[in-house]
Amino acid sequence: MRLEKRALILPLLSSVIANVGVVLAQNATVNVDACPGYNATNVFNIRNGFKADLVLAGKACNVYGKDYERLSLTVTYETDNRIHMKIVDPSNSRYEVPESVFPRPKSWDGNRDTPNINFRYTKAPFSFTITRKSTNEVLFNTTGYPLVFEPQYLRVKTSLPTNANIYGLGEHTNSFRLPSDNTVRTLWNRDAYGVPNGTNLYSDHPVYFEHRTTGTHGVFLLNSNGMDVKLQTVNGGTSLEYNVIGGILDFYFLAGPSPVDVAKQYAAVAGLPAEIPYWGLGLHQCRWGYKDYYEVAQVVANYSAANIPLETMWTDIDYMYERLVFTNDPQYFPLAKMRELVSDLHARGQQYIMMVDPAVGVKPGVSGAYDRGQALGGVWMKNPDGSDFQGLVWPGVTVWPDWFNPKTPTYWENEFRLFFDPATGIDVDGAWIDMNEPASFCMYPCSDPSAEATSQGLPPSRTSPPPASTLSLPIGTSAPGLTSNLLKRDNMYTNVLNPPYAIHHAADNLSARTAFTNVIHSNGLIEYDTHNLFGTMMSSATRDAMAKRRPGLRTFIITRSTFAGAGAKVGKWLGDNLSTWWHYRNSIAGMLNFAALFQVPEVGSDICGFGDNTTETLCARWATLGAFNPFYRNHNADAPIPQEFYRWPTVAQAARNAIDMRYRLLDYFYTAFHQAHLDGTPVLQPLWFQYPKDTNTYGIDMQFLFGEWILVSPVTQENVTSVSVYFPNDIFYDFKSYAIINGVGATVDLSNIDYTEIPVHIRGGVVLPLRVSSAYTTKQLRKKDFELVVAPDRSGKASGSLYIDDGVSITQAKTYTARYSYSGKQLKVSTKGLFDVGGLKYRTVKILGVESAPSSVWLNGHTLASSAIAYNSTSHSIAVNVTQPLTSSFTLKWT
């Protein structure tokens, strides 16, 4: 479907922006700060915490409904670094995020006598503070801001320091550090074409990090209802205010004190990131608009001809028959040809992924997925009268699986088993799930979906003839080498279609272009409460379905819509961006949010942009920046011009150069992903994570760290070949030339940066394991030897590690780990593990920052011949030929 057609379906950006900031609350003039709040009574101790009753402290405000007269407070010191606070209605069981969707942390070893943060409270009126024990610094403070708790309005407000450094509260396209003056972060997942700034987007992550020179802490509100989080500065005082339209108050306070500590502590709550397959870090190519199987195969062939490494080919909804999920068009994407295509890709060491949408077309006798769902008694979401809720997506009138229905997981697994059967179907290697906010094209109130489908021309017609049945695939079978359960709740809601407090939703109505908020799930929960969970629940069901197709193997699933904790199952792409320099720049903050804060490390933007026409220079720059996205995929829409990397000479060379760096670094990055899976250490980091006392770094979101040690500083302006790079007070080395930069906490202007290049530097203090050269596929890459690059810090020390496994198995029978330490002009390499690395070797060791040629070099105590040693006086580096098996431990020393 053309973008022009899509523009009729989705709100125009201008109308979106016009809607932002419009609050329809019936009592908008009431001063909530003047409400009575609550008094704490009947306080008593429990294991590692206490409980109390909260009793309304005066005349009810009833600002957006009737105030609850009595609440129940529970505070638990779950660990020394985590406090859990819940406020609920003790009389009625209100909705809270189901344990099945967001499993709660199980390990409680906290002690309220020895915590690193403390919960302190005032009884009348009730307020509380979170303080850091080591400094007595107040981190969260509700003093002077009464608690409001009504059926459809919950309010908690804390004071903040002036010019507070607040990060998170996504998904958004604001700056990485949120403005602390009159910013509203609305959390209500929606289909957000163009990812407009200042609006709610596809995902809901109600967590923020606040950073100060004295430390970092985190605050997570486990609530899936719609909400506004307001950052305001009034009369010199800054505050953060939650305005939530349902559920309960379920807070986790995380102590830090370092930024990485907070990230790890949040991972302990939200879930550690899933381990991804090694091949998932390769280059991916997709487009909405590949008209038939032959064009898909031709793209693969063109990448080979252009000598640009391509790891995984993708296909959008184009393959479907009349846009029906779990079908293929027999003329344009015939099953036999699709199976041949996938077989050839696998023979070349490449992978294939296809789009799967949640909406199932209501086409009895045509859509097997619909018929099989009906045969199970209907696994769809329901209207209040028990009928199937219907909307409008690509195939026309659709229904949606009810992920809370106990029959739905079996249904979904069966659909994957049938359509993607390796023996009889299309043997995909991963899954791409979209439109799962869920998105609907039917205009509210959607009284006649069939009529709207006709008026919108859904499903769209093909605009080209099918390919000849006799065409042979152009790709061959060899890849080239490179030349370089809750019960129904009595929620006491009065109006779920138009709640009394209207969040700053960018659409006209909470139900606009999505499932209606009065939709009922099989367990009695309503969409008003669970809307923001749909994408993550689909992600979990898809992950389970893919795991059953290939038992024992890691899944690779990319989703558009997420909720907190999604990274434990899937990766995420940043949605339908545009081919503009603003979107290029903004993609950095987007991936930092997900990778550094939200614990969704496999994240990236549509490289070169999804909507609108890209340009050669923009695509070239984006190809280089994309190589340092965890998820690296070129993808665009059907109406704009094609933008595969081989379309322009400059872009092709930029891609080759960037992929060469990425692939040589791939094991370093894979090791970082493994560490993230073990303890939540972020795979991407903003500069302030490593330089927490350098105030100049707090607002930087045009540079970032790839892993902990690779500083990436892309050119961010159009038609320029220079960039101002901030170097903290530390030592850095150019990744390619090894030239030293002694940072002094100031910007340095780098010039003459070709459109095919990107500035990349190594932070001093690391030993980097690099492949000696790149390869066309990651399977080829895994056969390449290693070199070690020692980049000492200012004290002459460095360390590092390397982790290797088979790259695909969930449970590893054997692994390989190497540890590197460098000090006093001596490198020690120690290895352990029984994973078979074959004949792989360490070819060379390069030591950077060496002022003069060494007089002697010893390997395991034996003096090396001068022919094995090369000193570069320009880069001040030594290259030593060691040729040691990867399995060996050895020592290299020089004087």
Side-chain angles (χ1 to χ4, degrees):
M1 175 174 287
R2 300 289 181 191
L3 286 179
E4 298 92 305
K5 176 71 74 175
R6 183 168 183 147
L8 297 175
I9 298 171
L10 301 178
L12 293 174
L13 294 184
S14 59
S15 64
V16 168
I17 294 170
N19 283 325
V20 175
V22 178
V23 178
L24 304 177
Q26 60 188 14
N27 293 329
T29 59
V30 173
N31 180 10
V32 182
D33 285 344
C35 289
Y38 292 80
N39 291 333
T41 64
N42 191 30
V43 180
F44 61 96
N45 291 333
I46 59 172
R47 177 181 176 270
N48 294 349
F50 68 91
K51 283 192 170 188
D53 293 332
L54 300 180
V55 180
L56 197 64
K59 182 180 178 180
C61 250
N62 299 334
V63 60
Y64 298 109
K66 182 176 173 57
D67 286 344
Y68 281 85
E69 294 185 0
R70 182 178 293 271
L71 302 169
S72 177
L73 165 71
T74 303
V75 175
T76 309
Y77 289 82
E78 292 188 343
T79 74
D80 287 347
N81 293 307
R82 184 174 77 231
I83 293 175
H84 186 193
M85 184 197 81
K86 288 181 72 171
I87 299 178
V88 302
D89 172 14
S91 302
N92 293 284
S93 192
R94 285 172 62 88
Y95 166 79
E96 55 187 285
V97 177
E99 181 93 15
S100 60
V101 181
F102 190 96
R104 306 314 194 257
K106 302 300 182 186
S107 59
W108 290 13
D109 58 0
N111 187 327
R112 62 184 173 186
D113 296 325
T114 59
N116 291 319
I117 50 175
N118 283 305
F119 186 101
R120 296 172 178 166
Y121 66 93
T122 300
K123 286 188 175 181
F126 170 73
S127 64
F128 71 92
T129 61
I130 303 294
T131 59
R132 190 179 302 284
K133 183 178 180 181
S134 62
T135 62
N136 207 33
E137 186 177 13
V138 177
L139 309 179
F140 196 96
N141 184 6
T142 68
T143 303
Y145 302 124
L147 168 68
V148 179
F149 202 114
E150 298 170 353
Q152 289 180 262
Y153 181 70
L154 287 66
R155 184 260 202 171
V156 172
K157 187 174 181 179
T158 176
S159 57
L160 293 174
T162 303
N163 299 318
N165 300 300
I166 302 292
Y167 309 83
L169 301 172
E171 181 180 5
H172 61 76
T173 51
N174 296 55
S175 56
F176 184 53
R177 180 175 60 179
L178 293 169
S180 59
D181 185 17
N182 299 323
T183 294
V184 179
R185 287 295 315 115
T186 299
L187 304 184
W188 184 257
N189 298 349
R190 72 180 183 99
D191 183 355
Y193 178 73
V195 290
N197 179 259
T199 71
N200 51 307
L201 302 179
Y202 308 100
S203 296
D204 176 12
H205 292 270
V207 60
Y208 74 82
F209 289 28
E210 185 194 340
H211 180 65
R212 308 175 185 181
T213 56
T214 53
T216 311
H217 65 276
V219 180
F220 172 48
L221 172 58
L222 179 53
N223 184 300
S224 64
N225 289 83
M227 68 179 75
D228 285 337
V229 185
K230 299 179 179 179
L231 285 161
Q232 299 172 311
T233 299
V234 179
N235 297 325
T238 303
S239 63
L240 183 148
E241 179 184 69
Y242 294 91
N243 298 265
V244 191
I245 61 174
I248 65 169
L249 295 173
D250 193 356
F251 281 98
Y252 292 86
F253 299 97
L254 309 173
S258 78
V260 174
D261 288 337
V262 179
K264 293 179 178 180
Q265 291 155 13
Y266 180 62
V269 176
L272 291 164
E275 202 132 40
I276 66 169
Y278 187 89
W279 60 261
L281 296 175
L283 172 67
H284 303 258
Q285 174 60 49
C286 185
R287 190 186 184 193
W288 173 31
Y290 289 139
K291 62 182 182 295
D292 54 48
Y293 76 90
Y294 189 82
E295 185 175 11
V296 173
Q298 189 64 59
V299 170
V300 177
N302 289 345
Y303 267 94
S304 293
N307 204 29
I308 302 172
L310 176 64
E311 185 68 20
T312 305
M313 190 66 199
W314 296 46
T315 304
D316 208 312
I317 57 175
D318 310 282
Y319 75 88
M320 300 177 185
Y321 175 68
E322 294 188 350
R323 299 299 191 262
L324 294 166
V325 68
F326 300 118
T327 69
N328 60 284
D329 191 300
Q331 291 185 293
Y332 292 82
F333 292 86
L335 181 59
K337 289 295 186 182
M338 293 300 290
R339 286 180 53 77
E340 182 184 354
L341 169 65
V342 175
S343 178
D344 287 355
L345 285 168
H346 288 170
R348 293 159 52 94
Q350 295 168 300
Q351 283 70 229
Y352 186 59
I353 289 176
M354 300 171 77
M355 164 82 77
V356 177
D357 279 346
V360 178
V362 181
K363 298 285 182 70
V366 179
S367 170
Y370 177 75
D371 293 341
R372 288 183 288 270
Q374 287 292 92
L376 289 173
V379 292
W380 324 120
M381 297 196 297
K382 305 292 184 183
N383 290 308
D385 64 4
S387 62
D388 294 341
F389 172 76
Q390 294 186 346
L392 204 63
V393 193
W394 301 115
V397 179
T398 60
V399 289
W400 284 268
D402 176 4
W403 305 114
F404 287 104
N405 189 317
K407 297 179 181 179
T408 299
T410 300
Y411 161 75
W412 200 245
E413 289 166 9
N414 187 56
E415 294 305 311
F416 270 75
R417 180 184 63 82
L418 292 173
F419 189 66
F420 298 121
D421 189 306
T424 60
I426 304 173
D427 187 17
V428 294
D429 300 281
W432 174 25
I433 52 179
D434 188 17
M435 307 294 287
N436 54 349
E437 293 72 35
S440 173
F441 301 154
C442 202
M443 299 300 183
Y444 186 80
C446 192
S447 56
D448 190 346
S450 295
E452 282 217 40
T454 300
S455 68
Q456 293 188 23
L458 296 173
S461 300
R462 301 276 183 178
T463 58
S464 61
S469 60
T470 57
L471 283 177
S472 297
L473 295 182
I475 62 175
T477 58
S478 60
L482 288 183
T483 57
S484 114
N485 298 336
L486 293 176
L487 299 177
K488 185 174 182 180
R489 302 300 190 189
D490 180 10
N491 52 51
M492 301 183 67
Y493 297 156
T494 58
N495 190 338
V496 297
L497 291 174
N498 294 286
Y501 176 86
I503 60 175
H504 289 53
H505 181 32
D508 302 331
N509 184 285
L510 291 182
S511 300
R513 293 170 287 279
T514 190
F516 290 5
T517 49
N518 65 351
V519 162
I520 297 177
H521 296 279
S522 68
N523 60 355
L525 296 180
I526 59 173
E527 190 68 3
Y528 180 82
D529 289 321
T530 65
H531 167 83
N532 285 340
L533 302 179
F534 188 96
T536 286
M537 295 189 72
M538 181 189 182
S539 297
S540 295
T542 303
R543 184 245 182 214
D544 293 344
M546 288 293 291
K548 289 195 174 182
R549 283 185 64 251
R550 293 181 170 182
L553 298 185
R554 299 172 189 166
T555 59
F556 186 82
I557 297 161
I558 298 296
T559 183
R560 188 169 76 176
S561 181
T562 60
F563 180 70
K569 300 289 181 66
V570 297
K572 147 84 180 172
W573 101 98
L574 296 174
D576 296 344
N577 61 359
L578 303 179
S579 297
T580 71
W581 285 88
W582 183 87
H583 284 85
Y584 162 87
R585 290 188 292 270
N586 186 265
S587 70
I588 301 172
M591 65 180 180
L592 283 175
N593 269 307
F594 278 90
L597 307 184
F598 303 155
Q599 289 295 335
V600 186
E602 181 64 354
V603 62
S605 64
D606 281 345
I607 304 303
C608 301
F610 176 77
D612 297 343
N613 291 330
T614 193
T615 65
E616 183 173 1
T617 55
L618 173 59
C619 200
R621 290 293 189 208
W622 216 327
T624 62
L625 171 59
F628 295 93
N629 285 212
F631 174 51
Y632 186 21
R633 183 185 68 167
N634 182 331
H635 176 50
N636 75 319
D638 60 344
I641 60 174
Q643 63 183 37
E644 292 85 3
F645 288 156
Y646 54 75
R647 298 282 177 178
W648 303 271
T650 303
V651 178
Q653 190 58 50
R656 292 186 202 104
N657 292 348
I659 294 170
D660 179 82
M661 283 193 288
R662 180 184 178 93
Y663 279 22
R664 292 185 62 216
L665 281 161
L666 209 63
D667 292 86
Y668 157 80
F669 205 33
Y670 185 75
T671 300
F673 263 88
H674 178 66
Q675 192 63 41
H677 174 69
L678 295 178
D679 66 7
T681 300
V683 301
L684 290 188
Q685 298 182 18
L687 269 67
W688 58 269
F689 267 44
Q690 292 300 321
Y691 301 96
K693 294 188 180 296
D694 184 347
T695 58
N696 293 323
T697 66
Y698 298 171
I700 292 176
D701 56 12
M702 294 294 114
Q703 298 172 250
F704 60 95
L705 294 167
F706 185 73
E708 294 185 14
W709 299 101
I710 299 298
L711 176 63
V712 183
S713 308
V715 175
T716 56
Q717 300 296 324
E718 185 175 10
N719 296 327
V720 300
T721 56
S722 62
V723 64
S724 293
V725 175
Y726 182 79
F727 288 101
N729 187 12
D730 204 347
I731 188 171
F732 296 85
Y733 304 85
D734 185 276
F735 181 79
K736 289 189 173 182
S737 71
Y738 303 142
I740 299 171
I741 293 183
N742 272 300
V744 294
T747 58
V748 174
D749 291 333
L750 304 182
S751 58
N752 299 318
I753 304 166
D754 193 88
Y755 286 100
T756 64
E757 302 293 341
I758 183 172
V760 176
H761 294 85
I762 306 168
R763 283 181 62 221
V766 67
V767 179
L768 282 177
L770 304 179
R771 298 283 180 170
V772 294
S773 62
S774 185
Y776 192 79
T777 68
T778 60
K779 286 187 177 179
Q780 294 175 351
L781 183 66
R782 288 173 65 87
K783 298 176 182 178
K784 300 285 186 178
D785 287 335
F786 283 87
E787 66 179 11
L788 296 178
V789 175
V790 180
D793 62 18
R794 283 174 171 166
S795 67
K797 297 179 180 180
S799 62
S801 64
L802 172 65
Y803 171 79
I804 299 177
D805 59 20
D806 70 12
V808 293
S809 298
I810 295 173
T811 302
Q812 296 288 334
K814 300 175 182 178
T815 62
Y816 166 94
T817 302
R819 304 274 178 201
Y820 316 116
S821 63
Y822 179 81
S823 180
K825 299 182 179 181
Q826 178 174 274
L827 172 68
K828 292 182 178 180
V829 175
S830 60
T831 65
K832 67 176 182 177
L834 298 176
F835 179 75
D836 184 7
V837 296
L840 292 179
K841 294 178 174 61
Y842 292 109
R843 287 292 178 187
T844 59
V845 172
K846 296 177 180 178
I847 303 172
L848 312 186
V850 179
E851 290 301 318
S852 59
S855 58
S856 299
V857 178
W858 297 271
L859 177 62
N860 294 328
H862 300 286
T863 303
L864 290 177
S866 59
S867 59
I869 307 161
Y871 177 71
N872 188 317
S873 59
T874 302
S875 63
H876 299 288
S877 63
I878 309 170
V880 183
N881 183 356
V882 293
T883 315
Q884 292 292 298
L886 208 65
T887 54
S888 68
S889 297
F890 64 89
T891 300
L892 184 74
K893 185 176 177 61
W894 66 278
T895 59

PDB file of all heavy atoms in Angstrom, residues 798-816:
ATOM      1  N   ALA A 798      45.440  -2.139  31.328  1.00  0.00           N
ATOM      2  CA  ALA A 798      44.298  -2.461  30.481  1.00  0.00           C
ATOM      3  C   ALA A 798      43.816  -3.872  30.810  1.00  0.00           C
ATOM      4  O   ALA A 798      44.575  -4.695  31.341  1.00  0.00           O
ATOM      5  CB  ALA A 798      44.670  -2.366  28.994  1.00  0.00           C
ATOM      6  N   SER A 799      42.564  -4.146  30.505  1.00  0.00           N
ATOM      7  CA  SER A 799      42.007  -5.485  30.717  1.00  0.00           C
ATOM      8  C   SER A 799      40.891  -5.712  29.713  1.00  0.00           C
ATOM      9  O   SER A 799      40.373  -4.775  29.093  1.00  0.00           O
ATOM     10  CB  SER A 799      41.479  -5.637  32.147  1.00  0.00           C
ATOM     11  OG  SER A 799      40.426  -4.710  32.396  1.00  0.00           O
ATOM     12  N   GLY A 800      40.523  -6.953  29.570  1.00  0.00           N
ATOM     13  CA  GLY A 800      39.449  -7.285  28.642  1.00  0.00           C
ATOM     14  C   GLY A 800      39.102  -8.748  28.737  1.00  0.00           C
ATOM     15  O   GLY A 800      39.666  -9.500  29.541  1.00  0.00           O
ATOM     16  N   SER A 801      38.137  -9.168  27.900  1.00  0.00           N
ATOM     17  CA  SER A 801      37.709 -10.561  27.920  1.00  0.00           C
ATOM     18  C   SER A 801      37.117 -10.935  26.572  1.00  0.00           C
ATOM     19  O   SER A 801      36.775 -10.071  25.755  1.00  0.00           O
ATOM     20  CB  SER A 801      36.676 -10.802  29.029  1.00  0.00           C
ATOM     21  OG  SER A 801      35.492 -10.059  28.791  1.00  0.00           O
ATOM     22  N   LEU A 802      36.991 -12.217  26.352  1.00  0.00           N
ATOM     23  CA  LEU A 802      36.403 -12.768  25.137  1.00  0.00           C
ATOM     24  C   LEU A 802      35.580 -13.979  25.511  1.00  0.00           C
ATOM     25  O   LEU A 802      36.055 -14.859  26.248  1.00  0.00           O
ATOM     26  CB  LEU A 802      37.505 -13.165  24.146  1.00  0.00           C
ATOM     27  CG  LEU A 802      37.065 -13.937  22.890  1.00  0.00           C
ATOM     28  CD1 LEU A 802      36.170 -13.085  22.007  1.00  0.00           C
ATOM     29  CD2 LEU A 802      38.290 -14.417  22.116  1.00  0.00           C
ATOM     30  N   TYR A 803      34.353 -14.015  25.018  1.00  0.00           N
ATOM     31  CA  TYR A 803      33.470 -15.168  25.265  1.00  0.00           C
ATOM     32  C   TYR A 803      33.071 -15.761  23.921  1.00  0.00           C
ATOM     33  O   TYR A 803      32.662 -15.041  23.007  1.00  0.00           O
ATOM     34  CB  TYR A 803      32.222 -14.727  26.031  1.00  0.00           C
ATOM     35  CG  TYR A 803      31.165 -15.812  26.137  1.00  0.00           C
ATOM     36  CD1 TYR A 803      31.280 -16.838  27.075  1.00  0.00           C
ATOM     37  CD2 TYR A 803      30.052 -15.815  25.284  1.00  0.00           C
ATOM     38  CE1 TYR A 803      30.321 -17.837  27.166  1.00  0.00           C
ATOM     39  CE2 TYR A 803      29.095 -16.808  25.369  1.00  0.00           C
ATOM     40  CZ  TYR A 803      29.230 -17.822  26.304  1.00  0.00           C
ATOM     41  OH  TYR A 803      28.284 -18.813  26.389  1.00  0.00           O
ATOM     42  N   ILE A 804      33.189 -17.070  23.798  1.00  0.00           N
ATOM     43  CA  ILE A 804      32.806 -17.774  22.571  1.00  0.00           C
ATOM     44  C   ILE A 804      31.966 -18.987  22.941  1.00  0.00           C
ATOM     45  O   ILE A 804      32.303 -19.720  23.893  1.00  0.00           O
ATOM     46  CB  ILE A 804      34.038 -18.224  21.752  1.00  0.00           C
ATOM     47  CG1 ILE A 804      34.881 -17.012  21.329  1.00  0.00           C
ATOM     48  CG2 ILE A 804      33.617 -19.008  20.520  1.00  0.00           C
ATOM     49  CD1 ILE A 804      36.160 -17.396  20.581  1.00  0.00           C
ATOM     50  N   ASP A 805      30.872 -19.185  22.237  1.00  0.00           N
ATOM     51  CA  ASP A 805      30.105 -20.422  22.321  1.00  0.00           C
ATOM     52  C   ASP A 805      29.672 -20.790  20.910  1.00  0.00           C
ATOM     53  O   ASP A 805      30.200 -20.238  19.933  1.00  0.00           O
ATOM     54  CB  ASP A 805      28.923 -20.279  23.297  1.00  0.00           C
ATOM     55  CG  ASP A 805      27.953 -19.160  22.913  1.00  0.00           C
ATOM     56  OD1 ASP A 805      27.946 -18.737  21.731  1.00  0.00           O
ATOM     57  OD2 ASP A 805      27.202 -18.696  23.786  1.00  0.00           O
ATOM     58  N   ASP A 806      28.692 -21.687  20.769  1.00  0.00           N
ATOM     59  CA  ASP A 806      28.315 -22.094  19.408  1.00  0.00           C
ATOM     60  C   ASP A 806      27.456 -21.066  18.695  1.00  0.00           C
ATOM     61  O   ASP A 806      27.152 -21.204  17.509  1.00  0.00           O
ATOM     62  CB  ASP A 806      27.658 -23.476  19.412  1.00  0.00           C
ATOM     63  CG  ASP A 806      26.267 -23.495  20.057  1.00  0.00           C
ATOM     64  OD1 ASP A 806      25.685 -22.419  20.301  1.00  0.00           O
ATOM     65  OD2 ASP A 806      25.762 -24.599  20.313  1.00  0.00           O
ATOM     66  N   GLY A 807      27.028 -20.010  19.423  1.00  0.00           N
ATOM     67  CA  GLY A 807      26.316 -18.911  18.794  1.00  0.00           C
ATOM     68  C   GLY A 807      24.835 -19.116  18.570  1.00  0.00           C
ATOM     69  O   GLY A 807      24.157 -18.178  18.136  1.00  0.00           O
ATOM     70  N   VAL A 808      24.305 -20.291  18.871  1.00  0.00           N
ATOM     71  CA  VAL A 808      22.893 -20.539  18.550  1.00  0.00           C
ATOM     72  C   VAL A 808      22.120 -21.261  19.651  1.00  0.00           C
ATOM     73  O   VAL A 808      20.895 -21.145  19.720  1.00  0.00           O
ATOM     74  CB  VAL A 808      22.753 -21.342  17.236  1.00  0.00           C
ATOM     75  CG1 VAL A 808      23.216 -20.517  16.038  1.00  0.00           C
ATOM     76  CG2 VAL A 808      23.503 -22.666  17.311  1.00  0.00           C
ATOM     77  N   SER A 809      22.777 -22.003  20.510  1.00  0.00           N
ATOM     78  CA  SER A 809      22.075 -22.853  21.481  1.00  0.00           C
ATOM     79  C   SER A 809      21.674 -22.065  22.723  1.00  0.00           C
ATOM     80  O   SER A 809      22.419 -21.209  23.211  1.00  0.00           O
ATOM     81  CB  SER A 809      22.949 -24.036  21.900  1.00  0.00           C
ATOM     82  OG  SER A 809      23.249 -24.852  20.799  1.00  0.00           O
ATOM     83  N   ILE A 810      20.492 -22.396  23.250  1.00  0.00           N
ATOM     84  CA  ILE A 810      20.039 -21.773  24.493  1.00  0.00           C
ATOM     85  C   ILE A 810      20.910 -22.231  25.653  1.00  0.00           C
ATOM     86  O   ILE A 810      21.385 -21.427  26.461  1.00  0.00           O
ATOM     87  CB  ILE A 810      18.560 -22.112  24.753  1.00  0.00           C
ATOM     88  CG1 ILE A 810      17.672 -21.500  23.667  1.00  0.00           C
ATOM     89  CG2 ILE A 810      18.130 -21.615  26.135  1.00  0.00           C
ATOM     90  CD1 ILE A 810      16.222 -21.921  23.741  1.00  0.00           C
ATOM     91  N   THR A 811      21.114 -23.516  25.744  1.00  0.00           N
ATOM     92  CA  THR A 811      21.971 -24.090  26.780  1.00  0.00           C
ATOM     93  C   THR A 811      23.270 -24.548  26.140  1.00  0.00           C
ATOM     94  O   THR A 811      23.263 -25.343  25.195  1.00  0.00           O
ATOM     95  CB  THR A 811      21.280 -25.279  27.469  1.00  0.00           C
ATOM     96  OG1 THR A 811      20.043 -24.842  28.034  1.00  0.00           O
ATOM     97  CG2 THR A 811      22.167 -25.849  28.568  1.00  0.00           C
ATOM     98  N   GLN A 812      24.366 -24.033  26.645  1.00  0.00           N
ATOM     99  CA  GLN A 812      25.669 -24.337  26.072  1.00  0.00           C
ATOM    100  C   GLN A 812      26.321 -25.476  26.837  1.00  0.00           C
ATOM    101  O   GLN A 812      26.541 -25.375  28.053  1.00  0.00           O
ATOM    102  CB  GLN A 812      26.568 -23.106  26.097  1.00  0.00           C
ATOM    103  CG  GLN A 812      26.071 -21.962  25.242  1.00  0.00           C
ATOM    104  CD  GLN A 812      26.216 -22.253  23.754  1.00  0.00           C
ATOM    105  OE1 GLN A 812      27.060 -23.026  23.334  1.00  0.00           O
ATOM    106  NE2 GLN A 812      25.374 -21.600  22.952  1.00  0.00           N
ATOM    107  N   ALA A 813      26.644 -26.561  26.138  1.00  0.00           N
ATOM    108  CA  ALA A 813      27.352 -27.670  26.774  1.00  0.00           C
ATOM    109  C   ALA A 813      28.781 -27.282  27.096  1.00  0.00           C
ATOM    110  O   ALA A 813      29.329 -27.688  28.129  1.00  0.00           O
ATOM    111  CB  ALA A 813      27.327 -28.894  25.864  1.00  0.00           C
ATOM    112  N   LYS A 814      29.389 -26.493  26.224  1.00  0.00           N
ATOM    113  CA  LYS A 814      30.774 -26.074  26.421  1.00  0.00           C
ATOM    114  C   LYS A 814      30.920 -24.625  25.957  1.00  0.00           C
ATOM    115  O   LYS A 814      30.289 -24.219  24.976  1.00  0.00           O
ATOM    116  CB  LYS A 814      31.733 -26.965  25.636  1.00  0.00           C
ATOM    117  CG  LYS A 814      31.689 -28.440  26.025  1.00  0.00           C
ATOM    118  CD  LYS A 814      32.569 -29.278  25.113  1.00  0.00           C
ATOM    119  CE  LYS A 814      32.498 -30.760  25.476  1.00  0.00           C
ATOM    120  NZ  LYS A 814      33.312 -31.591  24.567  1.00  0.00           N
ATOM    121  N   THR A 815      31.750 -23.875  26.639  1.00  0.00           N
ATOM    122  CA  THR A 815      32.022 -22.483  26.266  1.00  0.00           C
ATOM    123  C   THR A 815      33.528 -22.226  26.355  1.00  0.00           C
ATOM    124  O   THR A 815      34.288 -23.038  26.881  1.00  0.00           O
ATOM    125  CB  THR A 815      31.284 -21.488  27.174  1.00  0.00           C
ATOM    126  OG1 THR A 815      31.753 -21.646  28.519  1.00  0.00           O
ATOM    127  CG2 THR A 815      29.778 -21.715  27.132  1.00  0.00           C
ATOM    128  N   TYR A 816      33.924 -21.086  25.838  1.00  0.00           N
ATOM    129  CA  TYR A 816      35.316 -20.644  25.896  1.00  0.00           C
ATOM    130  C   TYR A 816      35.341 -19.226  26.437  1.00  0.00           C
ATOM    131  O   TYR A 816      34.549 -18.362  26.015  1.00  0.00           O
ATOM    132  CB  TYR A 816      35.943 -20.679  24.498  1.00  0.00           C
ATOM    133  CG  TYR A 816      37.264 -19.939  24.374  1.00  0.00           C
ATOM    134  CD1 TYR A 816      38.475 -20.605  24.529  1.00  0.00           C
ATOM    135  CD2 TYR A 816      37.298 -18.573  24.088  1.00  0.00           C
ATOM    136  CE1 TYR A 816      39.687 -19.932  24.411  1.00  0.00           C
ATOM    137  CE2 TYR A 816      38.505 -17.892  23.976  1.00  0.00           C
ATOM    138  CZ  TYR A 816      39.690 -18.573  24.139  1.00  0.00           C
ATOM    139  OH  TYR A 816      40.875 -17.900  24.026  1.00  0.00           O
TER     140      TYR A 816
END
